[in-house]
Amino acid sequence: EVQLLESGGGLVQPGGSLRLSCAASGFTFSSYAMSWVRQAPGKGLEWVSDISGGGGGTYYADSVKGRFSISRDNSKNTVFLQMNSLRAEDTAVYFCAKDRAIVGVTGTFDYWGKGTLVTVSS
Amino acid sequence: QSALTQPASVSGSPGQSITISCTGTSSGVGGFTYVSWYQQHPGKAPKLMIYEVSNRPSGVSNRFSGSKSGNTASLTISGLQAEDEADYYCSLYTSTTSTVFGGGTKLTVL
């Protein structure tokens, strides 16, 4: 059974940093691209970042480029999102999601974690 | 990035069919393969319902179907059930724009 479990969310002041983790199980982790998708309170889904299975390809939404960094540790089946220079508008539930395709990035998310809440406020 | 436009809300009675549209506002969805639809109940994670325009993942009811015509992708739900009441999001992936989500549609089962 595929499971994705996010952690690391919490309250942080504007300008601060936070590192999210997503522990995966139930599939060959290194074969699949992974992504982060966020949802601000009462709002829709917003794609944040992708990372390829091997970790060599990373992609970011314009809204987070230069501030967020995605990485993965395939030996620990974990994907990370390092978030720096946080702003109030980054407040959201952050979901970790698995890409459906066994090779490459397709932006098709067949499994999602339950999400972790990040609140940016003074 | 191309924006995707969905109606804010749709409604239908149990047993009826409804269709939710997803229209690209710049390059559109017409020439692209990776169009997906997600269902999200309040406080829950999204669930993949349709991928690559018209394919259903294992376990998704065949009451859900997807299609594409010109610049618009559509999700049709037939035989509406109370449990179908949720938010629905379309998404489009291209190698140049990465993933873009539509604004979401709230489905109310009357």
Side-chain angles (χ1 to χ4, degrees):
Chain A
E1 179 192 6
V2 172
Q3 291 191 333
L4 300 173
L5 183 61
E6 303 95 338
S7 61
L11 175 64
V12 61
Q13 292 187 338
S17 297
L18 214 53
R19 190 194 198 203
L20 305 183
S21 300
C22 171
S25 61
F27 62 102
T28 305
F29 182 70
S30 60
S31 294
Y32 294 88
M34 298 294 294
S35 302
W36 289 94
V37 176
R38 69 185 181 184
Q39 187 170 35
K43 303 297 184 182
L45 301 174
E46 180 188 15
W47 170 77
V48 173
S49 182
D50 294 331
I51 186 167
S52 62
T58 57
Y59 313 89
Y60 300 94
D62 290 343
S63 58
V64 306
K65 201 171 293 183
R67 300 186 300 122
F68 289 13
S69 176
I70 191 171
S71 61
R72 64 192 295 160
D73 184 340
N74 285 345
S75 69
K76 296 182 179 178
N77 288 1
T78 303
V79 61
F80 305 98
L81 186 68
Q82 177 66 43
M83 304 185 296
N84 300 328
S85 303
L86 283 161
R87 307 166 179 167
E89 53 264 38
D90 295 318
T91 293
V93 173
Y94 285 73
F95 295 102
C96 168
K98 170 189 168 290
D99 200 289
R100 184 185 168 276
I102 197 165
V103 175
V105 177
T106 68
T108 306
F109 309 123
D110 58 352
Y111 289 93
W112 297 64
K114 293 184 177 182
T116 186
L117 176 62
V118 172
T119 304
V120 184
S121 174
S122 54
Chain B
Q1 286 182 320
S2 173
L4 299 177
T5 299
Q6 300 179 230
S9 63
V10 298
S11 62
S13 299
Q16 288 186 330
S17 295
I18 64 95
T19 296
I20 300 172
S21 61
C22 173
T23 302
T25 58
S26 59
S27 57
V29 300
F32 302 110
T33 299
Y34 297 117
V35 178
S36 304
W37 289 91
Y38 299 88
Q39 175 193 66
Q40 187 181 33
H41 288 108
K44 300 295 187 181
K47 176 185 178 182
L48 179 65
M49 305 303 285
I50 296 289
Y51 66 95
E52 292 174 18
V53 178
S54 59
N55 294 289
R56 267 189 317 275
S58 173
V60 172
S61 170
N62 59 10
R63 297 185 300 104
F64 291 83
S65 62
S67 63
K68 185 176 68 175
S69 177
N71 205 34
T72 299
S74 298
L75 173 71
T76 297
I77 309 173
S78 59
L80 266 181
Q81 300 179 0
E83 68 211 46
D84 300 332
E85 185 162 295
D87 293 327
Y88 291 84
Y89 294 91
C90 63
S91 74
L92 170 66
Y93 171 84
T94 75
S95 58
T96 52
T97 66
S98 292
T99 300
V100 177
F101 287 98
T105 298
K106 181 177 179 60
L107 169 61
T108 300
V109 180
L110 302 170

